[in-house]
């Protein structure tokens, strides 16, 4: 995992806030159970049924981004916070 200026808790908090304030009303109804990856610094995001596909596209856009991942429409989906280099699996 790359170095980041955010703790895991800060990544999760910022990601969830971005989702609740900016994305939920726009994307949730048509994307339930898909994976969402949000760059918490830019607000850019990717959605896919495949978590790795969404993550790959997000990393292509922002190789050093700080990302929050979640499954859309679920309160406790095992959300992820990560940055820079891919380190999900």
């Amino acid at each position: 995992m790359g170095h980041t200026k955010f703790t895991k808790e800060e990544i999760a908090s910022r990601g969830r806030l971005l989702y609740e304030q900016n994305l939920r009303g726009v994307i949730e109804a048509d994307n339930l159970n898909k994976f969402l990856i949000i760059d918490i610094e830019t607000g850019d995001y990717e959605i896919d049924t495949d978590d790795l596909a969404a993550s790959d596209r997000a990393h292509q856009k922002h190789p050093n981004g700080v990302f929050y991942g979640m499954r859309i429409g679920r309160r406790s989906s095992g959300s992820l916070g990560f940055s820079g280099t891919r380190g999900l699996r």
Side-chain angles (χ1 to χ4, degrees):
M1 200 175 273
H3 296 284
T4 180
K5 59 186 172 189
F6 301 102
T7 66
K8 291 179 187 178
E9 293 79 15
E10 289 171 325
I11 293 170
S13 177
R14 286 173 179 250
R16 197 75 192 159
L17 186 64
L18 283 169
Y19 177 71
E20 292 295 335
Q21 290 184 343
N22 302 333
L23 300 175
R24 176 182 274 219
V26 177
I27 66 171
E28 189 169 88
D30 295 330
N31 294 289
L32 287 176
N33 293 314
K34 292 181 181 177
F35 291 95
L36 171 69
I37 306 295
I38 306 170
D39 182 326
I40 66 159
E41 294 184 301
T42 67
D44 285 349
Y45 64 92
E46 290 292 331
I47 299 172
D48 204 292
T49 56
D50 180 326
D51 60 337
L52 290 179
S55 180
D56 285 344
R57 287 195 309 273
H59 279 87
Q60 287 172 4
K61 281 189 199 176
H62 302 283
N64 295 311
V66 180
F67 300 98
Y68 171 75
M70 61 175 278
R71 190 178 286 255
I72 297 170
R74 294 196 180 170
R75 284 276 179 217
S76 59
S77 61
S79 60
L80 302 170
F82 52 97
S83 66
T85 307
R86 292 275 317 272
L88 289 177
R89 294 188 183 207

